[in-house]
Structure formats: structure tokens, C-alpha cells
Amino acid sequence: MSITSKSIKLLWSNAAGICSFTGCSEKLTVGEAADVAPYTLGEMAHIKGNKAGSNRYDESQPAVERDSYENLILLCPTHHTIIDKVENEADYPVVYLHEMKVEHEAFISNRLGEDKFENIEKLKDQLFIYMTENHQAWEQYGPLSENARRNPNNDQVFALWTSSRLSTIVPNNREIAKLLQENRNLFSRREQIIVSKFITHVESYEKWVSDEIPYQAVLRFPRDFNELIIGE
């Protein structure tokens, strides 16, 4: 068995591309190192070991579960090494790693402190932050970026763009959609149509994460939403 595309996408998007180890906030997408093509830093560690002799190995675990999303935790290389050292096995049991993963993903899901806004300008200020991060990810790692043009057909560049979509764009889209749903009363009737188009765009992204559709089927970002929120 091997880790499926769906498990990879769920793990990276739910962790927002950040190491899930308690107290570590290392972002696991990396730009460039010297003259080397851009690369992705991040390791999908097994909670229950994936082979006999590895830490936390459970021989009774069905093979299909070993590489499942439920048995994986996203870590930086340092913390992956720490939890898998033989002498550390007692310090990082299965239950503890599961709790660590759940707490981190819950933090990512609930990182926005305020859902309701008293006026649309304050809402737009918050949305602007997420939209700017998404745009930067597209500009830096997308198919039309300088990185992509400088390194055509490069697997590392493609992997970095995929991880950027999962660790930045998908989590940010979730936050934007959540804010829009909670504050739809601030938009006019005409604006409601644009908001709905963006939410549909986000929903199609989620279908890609769940392997229901290929990435090519993700609905395009509605440009009029950018104009509505940013004014450009």
C-alpha cells in the first residue's frame, strides 16, 4: 500500500502545511535554496508504525489503514526524527500523537477569533489578509510564476505548487467562506450573487481535496469577487 492522493491532500490542508508537533509552528512549504529548484519541506509521519520494528507498530492493524489519513501526522523533519527514535517510543505513544494531531487541526480550524463583523469594511480588512496570502502563493508558486517558468516540467516545482494550494489556499478559502456565510447580511443583493460564486469556487476546491474531481475541474476564481473585496 502507499499513501493515497486523498490522504495527502486532507493531511496537508487540515494541518495548513504547519508542523503538527505541539509548540512547533514551522511552515512546511519552502521557497528556494541557493540555485536549487524550489522544494517542499514536510514529512507525513505514521502514528502507528508502517512496518515491523518501527516505533508504535501494531501487527493487528489492517494494511489498508497503515497509510490512511487517520494514521498520519504532518511533521517537520526534526520532529519526525524525534518521534521515531527507538529511545523515544515511550514518550510518543499512539494516543498522544493522535491527540497532538487533533489539537493542531482544531487550532487551524478555529484560528479565527471573530466570525461576526459590525460593518463590511472590517470584514473586508480580514478577508484581504487571506486573499493576499492566496495571491502571493499563486504569484510565487503557480503555473505562471517565475519559479515555474525557470523550472519547466520540474517535479519539485509542481509538488511545491500542490503543497502551497493545500497548505495556504485551501485553509484560507475555508476561512473566507466561513466569514462570508456568517456575514452575508452585510452584502447587497447584487453582491450576494458574487459571494455565492466565490463560495461555489471554494466548494469545488474541497471536492478536489476529497478526490471527487480532478484539479482541472475546480471552478475558476471569480474575478468580480476580487473587485468586490479589494476593489481591483
Side-chain angles (χ1 to χ4, degrees):
M1 298 293 293
S2 60
I3 301 174
T4 65
S5 170
K6 180 178 179 179
S7 292
I8 292 171
K9 290 187 287 188
L10 284 172
L11 189 67
W12 275 85
S13 60
N14 289 350
I18 297 172
C19 178
S20 299
F21 195 92
T22 302
C24 182
S25 57
E26 182 171 357
K27 189 73 172 176
L28 301 178
T29 49
V30 179
E32 296 185 50
D35 296 325
V36 180
Y39 62 97
T40 298
L41 176 67
E43 300 183 359
M44 296 174 286
H46 288 82
I47 294 176
K48 290 184 178 181
N50 65 330
K51 58 184 177 181
S54 59
N55 282 12
R56 303 170 302 279
Y57 178 74
D58 179 1
E59 64 178 359
S60 67
Q61 184 183 37
V64 69
E65 293 181 4
R66 296 198 191 284
D67 291 322
S68 67
Y69 162 74
E70 290 75 16
N71 193 47
L72 298 169
I73 181 171
L74 188 66
L75 298 173
C76 64
T78 298
H79 287 117
H80 188 184
T81 299
I82 288 174
I83 71 166
D84 279 353
K85 282 188 175 181
V86 175
E87 62 268 30
N88 292 337
E89 183 168 10
D91 294 329
Y92 300 102
V94 170
V95 172
Y96 181 50
L97 293 179
H98 270 301
E99 290 176 351
M100 190 183 292
K101 175 183 177 180
V102 169
E103 288 176 2
H104 174 72
E105 293 185 354
F107 168 76
I108 294 300
S109 179
N110 299 311
R111 59 183 170 169
L112 190 62
E114 182 180 19
D115 290 341
K116 297 288 287 186
F117 286 80
E118 59 187 34
N119 64 67
I120 198 166
E121 292 307 316
K122 288 186 177 181
L123 172 62
K124 286 181 177 180
D125 287 343
Q126 184 63 54
L127 295 176
F128 176 79
I129 295 172
Y130 294 122
M131 292 173 67
T132 299
E133 288 180 355
N134 285 358
H135 183 69
Q136 288 175 341
W138 166 263
E139 285 283 316
Q140 191 167 3
Y141 307 123
L144 301 180
S145 67
E146 179 63 26
N147 281 328
R149 290 196 296 269
R150 194 167 60 243
N151 302 282
N153 303 314
N154 184 289
D155 290 342
Q156 289 179 315
V157 174
F158 180 76
L160 182 59
W161 170 227
T162 299
S163 68
S164 295
R165 281 177 283 172
L166 292 170
S167 61
T168 299
I169 295 176
V170 171
N172 282 352
N173 277 352
R174 289 171 178 168
E175 295 290 356
I176 294 170
K178 179 181 176 183
L179 284 170
L180 292 173
Q181 295 282 23
E182 291 290 333
N183 296 276
R184 292 199 73 149
N185 62 299
L186 298 178
F187 295 95
S188 68
R189 290 182 180 179
R190 184 190 68 82
E191 292 169 340
Q192 291 281 357
I193 297 173
I194 300 173
V195 168
S196 293
K197 286 165 62 178
F198 177 80
I199 291 174
T200 302
H201 161 72
V202 172
E203 290 172 346
S204 71
Y205 239 116
E206 291 293 340
K207 289 181 179 179
W208 169 66
V209 170
S210 300
D211 265 3
E212 295 178 40
I213 61 173
Y215 182 71
Q216 292 77 6
V218 172
L219 297 178
R220 287 183 174 274
F221 174 81
R223 293 187 178 277
D224 47 1
F225 182 74
N226 197 71
E227 182 178 347
L228 172 63
I229 303 303
I230 301 178
E232 297 179 356

